[in-house]
Amino acid sequence: MTLRLLTLAAACLFAVSAQAVTVGTAAPDFTLPDSNGKAHSLSEYKGKTVVLEWNNPGCPFVQKHYSSGNIPKQQADATGAGVVWLTINSGADGKQGHMDGAGANAFVAQFNAKPSAYLFDGDGKVGHAYGAKTTPHMYIIDGGGVLRYMGGIDSIASSDKEDLGKATQYVPQALAELKAGKAVSVATSQPYGCGVKYGS
Amino acid sequence: MRLLAASLLLANLLFAAAASAVETVPAQVHSDHISVSLLSEHDALVPGTSAWFGLRLQHDAHWHSYWINPGDSGLPTRLTWQLPEGFSAGEIAWPVPKRFNVGELFNFGYDGDVVLPVQIEVPANATGDSAHVEVQAKWLVCQEECIPGKATLGMDLPLRAVSVGSAAADAIDAARHAQAQHGLWKATAKLVDNRIEVTLRGANLGDGQGIDAFAVDSKVIANAAPRVEQRDGAIVLSFAKSDYFTTAPHALHLLVLPPGAPAVDVRAFFPTSS
């Protein structure tokens, strides 16, 4: 109870911030098309935990976490437990990693990835609304629409697969804590990776 | 064509493997958009003294690598030393970096030709004719797109009672003097709504026009340039709070860059009582 009050107090303190999004406050709603042309809104997943993953298949950091199987496994585990996992590409037309739907589906198939959907945000509006800076950059939103985690995929900023074994994977850790009704122990971390390839 | 490229690559790998088997690690490698080499300030190592080494990074035009705080994206260059028993290497003495803005992302790093200096202690009881100094360097080189690289570089240096400067001495010396100055200014920091204000006091602060500042530590201030104002004879730098700020540290470690003057290393102390 005390913890909850503290969390609420922290949320109030942060509410005055001009930051894009803040842990403990409502995550902005959005609607984006997926790789098969279907629209997805954050609000349609109310009641479910949602993971947002910023993606650029051409980025070496993204490749580290896909070719090692790290992100595909996290996706499979999360979606298997009823979590909605939305992979988002904010790469502008002509920039690295910008793709069409078929390209995204081929990428997903290549790594046996298991996102609920692969979404396109070519004008960068959703990326900007969330303050997404890197690929990967991760966000977790609870069933009440409140942001519970924002930051890096894990605790060791590197492009080397050999560092994966030593790193704390923040998303599965936070998902497990949320499921158990616990406070998220690491609710923000510094993201690392390539810059999101927004249009100019 | 692709097969030829693959077999050439394989031949290179085999050659590299053979080379490492006989412990001849190169002192320089050419990689994607960057050449990386290991330099020694002196032609020999003297037991009981410290010696400066340097990792030289020569970037292709428009490409850059990163400082200890890379900013919104990127990765700092990292060095892991393999040294004879009793030797020890310090941290990189990071030269003052530049600001790189790609779109709305802010980064700190180096372009052109830069040397990252490192001091190595040679123990007084070092014995033998020579010592093998080896480093594994990992870097990320970016224009807008990024390419990670790594290399193992090494050199054998004689152990002698005296040494003289090597051909690389000037480059290492220049890098050692491209450091920020310490202790020039007093600084305090405080949280003001969603911003962090750093107040600087001291000689030769000027009017603050054109001043920039980079945080050495991440997770405190955002990486955009500060707003600057004069207030009661002090210069106040106002930064947006980092998106990943959780609690204020004891002090914010900053490099302050006045235009046309050397950078200053500053620790801005937050109030001790909360």
Side-chain angles (χ1 to χ4, degrees):
Chain A
M1 189 58 204
T2 313
L3 190 63
R4 166 148 305 182
L5 281 173
L6 279 174
T7 309
L8 280 171
C12 293
L13 279 176
F14 285 125
V16 295
S17 158
Q19 286 161 211
V21 289
T22 334
V23 167
T25 65
D29 193 20
F30 59 82
T31 303
L32 288 174
D34 74 11
S35 54
N36 301 308
K38 180 173 178 281
H40 296 257
S41 296
L42 179 63
S43 51
E44 80 190 59
Y45 296 114
K46 203 143 187 121
K48 291 190 170 187
T49 302
V50 178
V51 175
L52 307 182
E53 171 215 339
W54 259 266
N55 181 275
N56 162 5
C59 166
F61 295 87
V62 171
Q63 290 164 359
K64 165 192 170 186
H65 290 285
Y66 272 82
S67 64
S68 63
N70 186 38
I71 284 182
K73 178 173 191 311
Q74 291 187 25
Q75 292 170 334
D77 291 348
T79 53
V83 171
V84 175
W85 186 298
L86 302 175
T87 300
I88 301 178
N89 187 326
S90 295
D93 196 1
K95 301 273 185 162
Q96 184 191 50
H98 181 81
M99 296 182 301
D100 60 12
N105 289 339
F107 168 73
V108 167
Q110 180 190 350
F111 293 104
N112 198 22
K114 301 288 179 202
S116 307
Y118 192 107
L119 309 183
F120 293 115
D121 175 44
D123 62 10
K125 276 188 186 150
V126 176
H128 285 124
Y130 278 80
K133 293 192 174 72
T134 62
T135 52
H137 194 156
M138 310 300 300
Y139 298 81
I140 300 175
I141 298 151
D142 70 16
V146 174
L147 187 67
R148 291 295 178 195
Y149 175 76
M150 61 184 280
I153 178 82
D154 66 23
S155 60
I156 300 180
S158 113
S159 60
D160 261 335
K161 285 182 213 172
E162 64 198 46
D163 291 320
L164 278 169
K166 293 169 278 175
T168 301
Q169 299 298 323
Y170 290 133
V171 171
Q173 175 173 283
L175 289 175
E177 288 166 345
L178 284 171
K179 193 171 184 180
K182 295 183 190 163
V184 175
S185 53
V186 179
T188 64
S189 71
Q190 177 83 24
Y192 71 89
C194 306
V196 175
K197 304 296 185 257
Y198 291 116
S200 41
Chain B
M1 188 57 206
R2 180 164 287 188
L3 188 64
L4 179 62
S7 52
L8 279 174
L9 180 67
L10 185 64
N12 279 336
L13 287 173
L14 288 173
F15 177 74
S20 69
V22 294
E23 303 245 344
T24 51
V25 178
Q28 179 169 34
V29 297
H30 300 280
S31 190
D32 290 321
H33 302 289
I34 194 166
S35 289
V36 182
S37 42
L38 177 63
L39 310 179
S40 166
E41 185 177 21
H42 290 102
D43 69 338
L45 295 172
V46 179
T49 66
S50 57
W52 282 95
F53 285 77
L55 187 80
R56 183 178 186 185
L57 302 165
Q58 294 167 280
H59 306 80
D60 283 3
H62 312 298
W63 289 74
H64 61 269
S65 60
Y66 294 90
W67 186 45
I68 186 169
N69 173 10
D72 289 336
S73 58
L75 273 188
T77 298
R78 290 206 173 90
L79 303 180
T80 309
W81 296 89
Q82 296 288 336
L83 299 170
E85 182 153 355
F87 286 57
S88 61
E91 299 296 318
I92 295 170
W94 297 94
V96 175
K98 294 180 188 175
R99 182 183 275 286
F100 294 90
N101 297 349
V102 177
E104 58 242 80
L105 297 182
F106 301 101
N107 292 108
F108 308 116
Y110 308 97
D111 59 5
D113 191 348
V114 70
V115 174
L116 306 180
V118 174
Q119 196 168 28
I120 289 182
E121 301 293 333
V122 183
N125 61 0
T127 56
D129 295 334
S130 69
H132 183 67
V133 172
E134 193 170 301
V135 66
Q136 186 190 57
K138 293 184 182 180
W139 63 86
L140 184 71
V141 64
C142 302
Q143 183 176 33
E144 181 170 1
E145 299 176 4
C146 298
I147 304 172
K150 66 176 153 183
T152 300
L153 305 166
M155 61 171 65
D156 290 297
L157 285 168
L159 280 167
R160 286 203 296 250
V162 289
S163 66
V164 296
S166 72
D170 287 349
I172 291 181
D173 195 53
R176 283 175 54 194
H177 290 92
Q179 310 284 318
Q181 296 178 272
H182 287 254
L184 272 190
W185 298 330
K186 297 282 181 207
T188 55
K190 65 175 175 180
L191 269 166
V192 180
D193 297 330
N194 60 335
R195 301 185 70 83
I196 289 170
E197 284 189 359
V198 171
T199 303
L200 299 172
R201 292 179 191 279
N204 303 319
L205 268 167
D207 62 3
Q209 285 287 319
I211 209 165
D212 198 357
F214 311 156
V216 178
D217 311 311
S218 59
K219 292 192 69 168
V220 184
I221 58 173
N223 297 309
R227 299 200 301 238
V228 183
E229 60 176 281
Q230 276 186 290
R231 202 184 292 166
D232 306 328
I235 298 293
V236 178
L237 308 177
S238 171
F239 301 90
K241 208 167 64 175
S242 165
D243 286 351
Y244 316 103
F245 179 95
T246 46
T247 52
H250 175 57
L252 170 60
H253 190 186
L254 286 170
L255 293 192
V256 179
L257 292 88
V264 181
D265 185 288
V266 163
R267 284 178 200 267
F269 291 89
F270 282 90
T272 45
S273 60
S274 56

Short mmCIF file of all heavy atoms in Angstrom, two decimals, chain B residues 104-155:
data_model
loop_
_atom_site.label_atom_id
_atom_site.label_comp_id
_atom_site.label_asym_id
_atom_site.label_seq_id
_atom_site.Cartn_x
_atom_site.Cartn_y
_atom_site.Cartn_z
N GLU B 104 16.90 14.61 -35.10
CA GLU B 104 16.69 15.18 -33.77
C GLU B 104 17.44 14.40 -32.69
O GLU B 104 17.17 14.57 -31.51
CB GLU B 104 15.21 15.23 -33.44
CG GLU B 104 14.57 13.87 -33.51
CD GLU B 104 13.48 13.81 -34.56
OE1 GLU B 104 13.80 13.65 -35.75
OE2 GLU B 104 12.32 13.91 -34.18
N LEU B 105 18.35 13.53 -33.10
CA LEU B 105 19.15 12.79 -32.13
C LEU B 105 20.48 13.49 -31.92
O LEU B 105 21.10 13.97 -32.86
CB LEU B 105 19.38 11.36 -32.61
CG LEU B 105 18.12 10.49 -32.76
CD1 LEU B 105 18.51 9.09 -33.19
CD2 LEU B 105 17.34 10.44 -31.46
N PHE B 106 20.90 13.52 -30.65
CA PHE B 106 22.14 14.22 -30.28
C PHE B 106 23.17 13.21 -29.82
O PHE B 106 22.90 12.40 -28.93
CB PHE B 106 21.85 15.23 -29.17
CG PHE B 106 20.82 16.24 -29.57
CD1 PHE B 106 19.51 16.12 -29.14
CD2 PHE B 106 21.15 17.30 -30.40
CE1 PHE B 106 18.54 17.04 -29.52
CE2 PHE B 106 20.19 18.24 -30.78
CZ PHE B 106 18.89 18.10 -30.34
N ASN B 107 24.36 13.27 -30.43
CA ASN B 107 25.42 12.33 -30.09
C ASN B 107 26.72 13.07 -29.83
O ASN B 107 26.90 14.20 -30.26
CB ASN B 107 25.62 11.34 -31.23
CG ASN B 107 24.43 10.40 -31.40
OD1 ASN B 107 23.67 10.51 -32.34
ND2 ASN B 107 24.25 9.51 -30.45
N PHE B 108 27.65 12.38 -29.15
CA PHE B 108 28.97 12.94 -28.86
C PHE B 108 30.03 11.95 -29.30
O PHE B 108 29.93 10.75 -28.99
CB PHE B 108 29.11 13.19 -27.35
CG PHE B 108 27.99 14.00 -26.77
CD1 PHE B 108 27.13 13.46 -25.83
CD2 PHE B 108 27.78 15.31 -27.18
CE1 PHE B 108 26.09 14.20 -25.29
CE2 PHE B 108 26.73 16.07 -26.65
CZ PHE B 108 25.88 15.51 -25.71
N GLY B 109 31.05 12.45 -30.02
CA GLY B 109 32.07 11.53 -30.48
C GLY B 109 33.18 12.23 -31.24
O GLY B 109 33.44 13.42 -31.03
N TYR B 110 33.78 11.47 -32.12
CA TYR B 110 34.98 11.93 -32.82
C TYR B 110 34.87 11.61 -34.30
O TYR B 110 34.38 10.55 -34.67
CB TYR B 110 36.21 11.21 -32.28
CG TYR B 110 36.34 11.30 -30.78
CD1 TYR B 110 35.90 10.26 -29.97
CD2 TYR B 110 36.88 12.43 -30.17
CE1 TYR B 110 36.00 10.34 -28.59
CE2 TYR B 110 36.99 12.52 -28.79
CZ TYR B 110 36.55 11.47 -28.01
OH TYR B 110 36.65 11.56 -26.64
N ASP B 111 35.41 12.52 -35.12
CA ASP B 111 35.57 12.21 -36.53
C ASP B 111 37.03 12.48 -36.90
O ASP B 111 37.85 12.79 -36.03
CB ASP B 111 34.58 13.00 -37.40
CG ASP B 111 34.71 14.50 -37.24
OD1 ASP B 111 35.64 14.96 -36.52
OD2 ASP B 111 33.90 15.24 -37.81
N GLY B 112 37.35 12.35 -38.17
CA GLY B 112 38.73 12.61 -38.61
C GLY B 112 39.71 11.65 -37.96
O GLY B 112 39.49 10.45 -37.90
N ASP B 113 40.81 12.22 -37.45
CA ASP B 113 41.93 11.43 -36.92
C ASP B 113 42.02 11.72 -35.42
O ASP B 113 42.28 12.86 -35.03
CB ASP B 113 43.20 11.90 -37.64
CG ASP B 113 44.39 11.00 -37.39
OD1 ASP B 113 44.34 10.15 -36.49
OD2 ASP B 113 45.40 11.19 -38.11
N VAL B 114 41.77 10.74 -34.58
CA VAL B 114 41.77 10.98 -33.13
C VAL B 114 42.54 9.86 -32.43
O VAL B 114 42.59 8.73 -32.92
CB VAL B 114 40.31 11.07 -32.59
CG1 VAL B 114 39.61 9.73 -32.62
CG2 VAL B 114 40.28 11.65 -31.18
N VAL B 115 43.17 10.19 -31.32
CA VAL B 115 43.88 9.20 -30.51
C VAL B 115 43.23 9.16 -29.13
O VAL B 115 43.05 10.21 -28.50
CB VAL B 115 45.38 9.55 -30.38
CG1 VAL B 115 46.07 8.59 -29.40
CG2 VAL B 115 46.05 9.51 -31.75
N LEU B 116 42.89 7.96 -28.66
CA LEU B 116 42.38 7.77 -27.30
C LEU B 116 43.55 7.29 -26.44
O LEU B 116 43.99 6.16 -26.58
CB LEU B 116 41.26 6.72 -27.29
CG LEU B 116 40.09 6.95 -28.25
CD1 LEU B 116 39.06 5.83 -28.10
CD2 LEU B 116 39.44 8.31 -28.03
N PRO B 117 44.09 8.14 -25.55
CA PRO B 117 45.27 7.77 -24.78
C PRO B 117 44.93 6.92 -23.55
O PRO B 117 43.89 7.11 -22.93
CB PRO B 117 45.85 9.12 -24.32
CG PRO B 117 44.95 10.17 -24.84
CD PRO B 117 43.69 9.53 -25.31
N VAL B 118 45.83 6.02 -23.23
CA VAL B 118 45.69 5.16 -22.04
C VAL B 118 47.07 5.02 -21.41
O VAL B 118 48.07 4.79 -22.11
CB VAL B 118 45.15 3.76 -22.42
CG1 VAL B 118 45.15 2.84 -21.20
CG2 VAL B 118 43.75 3.86 -23.00
N GLN B 119 47.12 5.14 -20.07
CA GLN B 119 48.39 5.01 -19.36
C GLN B 119 48.54 3.57 -18.86
O GLN B 119 47.60 3.01 -18.29
CB GLN B 119 48.41 5.97 -18.18
CG GLN B 119 49.79 6.20 -17.62
CD GLN B 119 49.81 7.38 -16.66
OE1 GLN B 119 48.81 7.69 -16.03
NE2 GLN B 119 50.95 8.04 -16.56
N ILE B 120 49.72 3.02 -19.09
CA ILE B 120 50.00 1.65 -18.63
C ILE B 120 51.16 1.69 -17.64
O ILE B 120 52.19 2.32 -17.90
CB ILE B 120 50.31 0.73 -19.83
CG1 ILE B 120 49.01 0.50 -20.62
CG2 ILE B 120 50.93 -0.60 -19.38
CD1 ILE B 120 49.13 -0.40 -21.80
N GLU B 121 50.94 1.04 -16.49
CA GLU B 121 51.99 0.97 -15.46
C GLU B 121 52.87 -0.25 -15.74
O GLU B 121 52.36 -1.36 -15.89
CB GLU B 121 51.36 0.82 -14.07
CG GLU B 121 50.42 1.95 -13.68
CD GLU B 121 51.14 3.28 -13.48
OE1 GLU B 121 52.35 3.26 -13.15
OE2 GLU B 121 50.51 4.33 -13.68
N VAL B 122 54.16 0.00 -15.79
CA VAL B 122 55.13 -1.09 -15.98
C VAL B 122 55.74 -1.39 -14.61
O VAL B 122 56.32 -0.50 -14.00
CB VAL B 122 56.24 -0.67 -16.97
CG1 VAL B 122 57.20 -1.82 -17.22
CG2 VAL B 122 55.63 -0.15 -18.27
N PRO B 123 55.56 -2.60 -14.10
CA PRO B 123 56.03 -2.87 -12.74
C PRO B 123 57.56 -2.81 -12.64
O PRO B 123 58.26 -3.09 -13.62
CB PRO B 123 55.51 -4.28 -12.45
CG PRO B 123 55.33 -4.90 -13.78
CD PRO B 123 54.97 -3.80 -14.74
N ALA B 124 58.03 -2.43 -11.45
CA ALA B 124 59.47 -2.30 -11.24
C ALA B 124 60.19 -3.64 -11.42
O ALA B 124 61.36 -3.68 -11.80
CB ALA B 124 59.73 -1.74 -9.83
N ASN B 125 59.44 -4.72 -11.15
CA ASN B 125 60.09 -6.04 -11.24
C ASN B 125 59.89 -6.71 -12.59
O ASN B 125 60.07 -7.93 -12.72
CB ASN B 125 59.58 -6.94 -10.11
CG ASN B 125 58.08 -7.17 -10.21
OD1 ASN B 125 57.42 -6.65 -11.12
ND2 ASN B 125 57.54 -7.94 -9.27
N ALA B 126 59.48 -5.92 -13.61
CA ALA B 126 59.31 -6.51 -14.95
C ALA B 126 60.67 -7.03 -15.45
O ALA B 126 61.67 -6.32 -15.34
CB ALA B 126 58.76 -5.47 -15.92
N THR B 127 60.66 -8.25 -15.94
CA THR B 127 61.92 -8.83 -16.40
C THR B 127 61.78 -9.31 -17.84
O THR B 127 60.68 -9.41 -18.36
CB THR B 127 62.34 -10.02 -15.52
OG1 THR B 127 61.27 -10.96 -15.51
CG2 THR B 127 62.69 -9.58 -14.11
N GLY B 128 62.90 -9.64 -18.43
CA GLY B 128 62.91 -10.13 -19.81
C GLY B 128 63.41 -9.05 -20.75
O GLY B 128 63.67 -7.91 -20.35
N ASP B 129 63.54 -9.43 -22.01
CA ASP B 129 64.05 -8.49 -23.01
C ASP B 129 62.95 -7.58 -23.55
O ASP B 129 63.22 -6.46 -23.97
CB ASP B 129 64.67 -9.25 -24.19
CG ASP B 129 65.90 -10.03 -23.76
OD1 ASP B 129 66.54 -9.62 -22.76
OD2 ASP B 129 66.20 -11.06 -24.39
N SER B 130 61.73 -8.12 -23.56
CA SER B 130 60.66 -7.33 -24.17
C SER B 130 59.32 -7.69 -23.52
O SER B 130 59.22 -8.67 -22.78
CB SER B 130 60.59 -7.60 -25.67
OG SER B 130 60.15 -8.91 -25.92
N ALA B 131 58.33 -6.87 -23.80
CA ALA B 131 56.98 -7.10 -23.28
C ALA B 131 55.99 -6.98 -24.43
O ALA B 131 56.15 -6.13 -25.31
CB ALA B 131 56.65 -6.07 -22.20
N HIS B 132 54.97 -7.85 -24.39
CA HIS B 132 53.93 -7.83 -25.43
C HIS B 132 52.70 -7.13 -24.88
O HIS B 132 52.12 -7.54 -23.88
CB HIS B 132 53.59 -9.26 -25.86
CG HIS B 132 52.58 -9.30 -26.96
ND1 HIS B 132 52.85 -8.84 -28.24
CD2 HIS B 132 51.29 -9.72 -26.97
CE1 HIS B 132 51.76 -9.00 -28.99
NE2 HIS B 132 50.80 -9.53 -28.24
N VAL B 133 52.31 -6.04 -25.54
CA VAL B 133 51.15 -5.25 -25.14
C VAL B 133 50.07 -5.48 -26.19
O VAL B 133 50.31 -5.31 -27.39
CB VAL B 133 51.52 -3.76 -25.07
CG1 VAL B 133 50.28 -2.89 -24.86
CG2 VAL B 133 52.54 -3.52 -23.95
N GLU B 134 48.89 -5.89 -25.72
CA GLU B 134 47.83 -6.24 -26.67
C GLU B 134 46.51 -5.68 -26.17
O GLU B 134 46.24 -5.65 -24.97
CB GLU B 134 47.75 -7.77 -26.76
CG GLU B 134 46.92 -8.28 -27.91
CD GLU B 134 47.09 -9.80 -28.08
OE1 GLU B 134 48.23 -10.26 -28.29
OE2 GLU B 134 46.08 -10.49 -27.99
N VAL B 135 45.69 -5.25 -27.11
CA VAL B 135 44.40 -4.68 -26.73
C VAL B 135 43.34 -5.16 -27.71
O VAL B 135 43.58 -5.25 -28.92
CB VAL B 135 44.45 -3.14 -26.68
CG1 VAL B 135 44.69 -2.52 -28.04
CG2 VAL B 135 43.21 -2.56 -26.03
N GLN B 136 42.17 -5.50 -27.16
CA GLN B 136 41.01 -5.72 -28.02
C GLN B 136 40.19 -4.44 -28.00
O GLN B 136 39.77 -3.97 -26.93
CB GLN B 136 40.15 -6.89 -27.54
CG GLN B 136 39.04 -7.18 -28.55
CD GLN B 136 38.00 -8.16 -28.06
OE1 GLN B 136 37.38 -7.95 -27.03
NE2 GLN B 136 37.83 -9.24 -28.81
N ALA B 137 40.01 -3.86 -29.17
CA ALA B 137 39.23 -2.63 -29.29
C ALA B 137 37.89 -2.96 -29.94
O ALA B 137 37.83 -3.73 -30.89
CB ALA B 137 39.98 -1.61 -30.15
N LYS B 138 36.82 -2.38 -29.38
CA LYS B 138 35.49 -2.51 -29.99
C LYS B 138 34.96 -1.11 -30.21
O LYS B 138 35.05 -0.27 -29.31
CB LYS B 138 34.53 -3.26 -29.06
CG LYS B 138 34.89 -4.71 -28.85
CD LYS B 138 33.82 -5.37 -27.99
CE LYS B 138 34.18 -6.82 -27.72
NZ LYS B 138 33.15 -7.47 -26.88
N TRP B 139 34.42 -0.87 -31.38
CA TRP B 139 33.90 0.47 -31.68
C TRP B 139 32.63 0.36 -32.50
O TRP B 139 32.29 -0.71 -33.01
CB TRP B 139 34.96 1.27 -32.47
CG TRP B 139 35.28 0.66 -33.81
CD1 TRP B 139 34.61 0.84 -34.98
CD2 TRP B 139 36.33 -0.29 -34.09
NE1 TRP B 139 35.19 0.08 -35.97
CE2 TRP B 139 36.24 -0.61 -35.45
CE3 TRP B 139 37.34 -0.87 -33.31
CZ2 TRP B 139 37.12 -1.52 -36.06
CZ3 TRP B 139 38.20 -1.77 -33.92
CH2 TRP B 139 38.09 -2.08 -35.28
N LEU B 140 31.95 1.49 -32.59
CA LEU B 140 30.81 1.61 -33.49
C LEU B 140 31.09 2.83 -34.35
O LEU B 140 31.34 3.91 -33.81
CB LEU B 140 29.52 1.80 -32.70
CG LEU B 140 28.24 1.85 -33.55
CD1 LEU B 140 27.92 0.46 -34.11
CD2 LEU B 140 27.06 2.37 -32.74
N VAL B 141 31.10 2.65 -35.65
CA VAL B 141 31.35 3.78 -36.55
C VAL B 141 30.06 4.04 -37.32
O VAL B 141 29.43 3.12 -37.83
CB VAL B 141 32.58 3.53 -37.45
CG1 VAL B 141 32.38 2.37 -38.40
CG2 VAL B 141 32.97 4.79 -38.21
N CYS B 142 29.64 5.32 -37.35
CA CYS B 142 28.36 5.66 -37.95
C CYS B 142 28.52 6.88 -38.86
O CYS B 142 29.31 7.78 -38.57
CB CYS B 142 27.32 6.03 -36.89
SG CYS B 142 26.99 4.75 -35.66
N GLN B 143 27.73 6.89 -39.91
CA GLN B 143 27.47 8.14 -40.62
C GLN B 143 26.05 8.45 -40.21
O GLN B 143 25.84 9.02 -39.14
CB GLN B 143 27.63 7.95 -42.13
CG GLN B 143 27.42 9.23 -42.90
CD GLN B 143 27.68 9.06 -44.38
OE1 GLN B 143 27.43 8.00 -44.96
NE2 GLN B 143 28.17 10.09 -45.02
N GLU B 144 25.06 7.98 -40.96
CA GLU B 144 23.73 7.88 -40.34
C GLU B 144 23.53 6.41 -39.95
O GLU B 144 23.06 6.09 -38.88
CB GLU B 144 22.65 8.36 -41.28
CG GLU B 144 21.28 8.26 -40.61
CD GLU B 144 20.18 8.94 -41.38
OE1 GLU B 144 20.45 9.49 -42.47
OE2 GLU B 144 19.03 8.91 -40.91
N GLU B 145 23.96 5.51 -40.84
CA GLU B 145 23.91 4.09 -40.51
C GLU B 145 25.18 3.72 -39.75
O GLU B 145 26.17 4.43 -39.81
CB GLU B 145 23.77 3.29 -41.81
CG GLU B 145 22.48 3.68 -42.51
CD GLU B 145 22.28 3.01 -43.86
OE1 GLU B 145 23.12 2.16 -44.22
OE2 GLU B 145 21.29 3.34 -44.52
N CYS B 146 25.12 2.62 -39.04
CA CYS B 146 26.20 2.26 -38.11
C CYS B 146 26.78 0.89 -38.40
O CYS B 146 26.05 -0.02 -38.80
CB CYS B 146 25.65 2.23 -36.68
SG CYS B 146 25.03 3.83 -36.15
N ILE B 147 28.09 0.77 -38.19
CA ILE B 147 28.76 -0.51 -38.38
C ILE B 147 29.63 -0.78 -37.15
O ILE B 147 30.57 -0.03 -36.87
CB ILE B 147 29.65 -0.49 -39.65
CG1 ILE B 147 28.81 -0.12 -40.87
CG2 ILE B 147 30.33 -1.85 -39.85
CD1 ILE B 147 29.63 0.12 -42.13
N PRO B 148 29.33 -1.86 -36.41
CA PRO B 148 30.20 -2.20 -35.28
C PRO B 148 31.47 -2.87 -35.78
O PRO B 148 31.46 -3.57 -36.80
CB PRO B 148 29.36 -3.18 -34.46
CG PRO B 148 28.27 -3.66 -35.35
CD PRO B 148 28.20 -2.78 -36.56
N GLY B 149 32.57 -2.64 -35.08
CA GLY B 149 33.81 -3.29 -35.46
C GLY B 149 34.60 -3.69 -34.24
O GLY B 149 34.40 -3.15 -33.15
N LYS B 150 35.49 -4.66 -34.42
CA LYS B 150 36.43 -4.97 -33.35
C LYS B 150 37.72 -5.50 -33.94
O LYS B 150 37.74 -6.02 -35.07
CB LYS B 150 35.84 -5.95 -32.34
CG LYS B 150 35.53 -7.32 -32.83
CD LYS B 150 35.05 -8.16 -31.63
CE LYS B 150 34.13 -9.27 -32.09
NZ LYS B 150 33.60 -10.05 -30.96
N ALA B 151 38.80 -5.34 -33.20
CA ALA B 151 40.10 -5.81 -33.65
C ALA B 151 40.98 -6.05 -32.44
O ALA B 151 40.82 -5.40 -31.41
CB ALA B 151 40.75 -4.77 -34.56
N THR B 152 41.88 -7.00 -32.59
CA THR B 152 42.91 -7.20 -31.58
C THR B 152 44.22 -6.67 -32.16
O THR B 152 44.63 -7.07 -33.24
CB THR B 152 43.02 -8.68 -31.21
OG1 THR B 152 41.75 -9.09 -30.71
CG2 THR B 152 44.07 -8.91 -30.14
N LEU B 153 44.81 -5.73 -31.43
CA LEU B 153 46.03 -5.06 -31.89
C LEU B 153 47.12 -5.29 -30.86
O LEU B 153 46.83 -5.35 -29.67
CB LEU B 153 45.77 -3.56 -32.02
CG LEU B 153 44.59 -3.15 -32.89
CD1 LEU B 153 44.23 -1.69 -32.67
CD2 LEU B 153 44.91 -3.40 -34.36
N GLY B 154 48.36 -5.40 -31.33
CA GLY B 154 49.43 -5.63 -30.36
C GLY B 154 50.77 -5.17 -30.86
O GLY B 154 50.95 -4.87 -32.04
N MET B 155 51.70 -5.09 -29.93
CA MET B 155 53.09 -4.76 -30.28
C MET B 155 54.02 -5.28 -29.20
O MET B 155 53.63 -5.45 -28.04
CB MET B 155 53.28 -3.25 -30.47
CG MET B 155 52.98 -2.41 -29.24
SD MET B 155 53.49 -0.68 -29.47
CE MET B 155 52.42 -0.15 -30.78
#
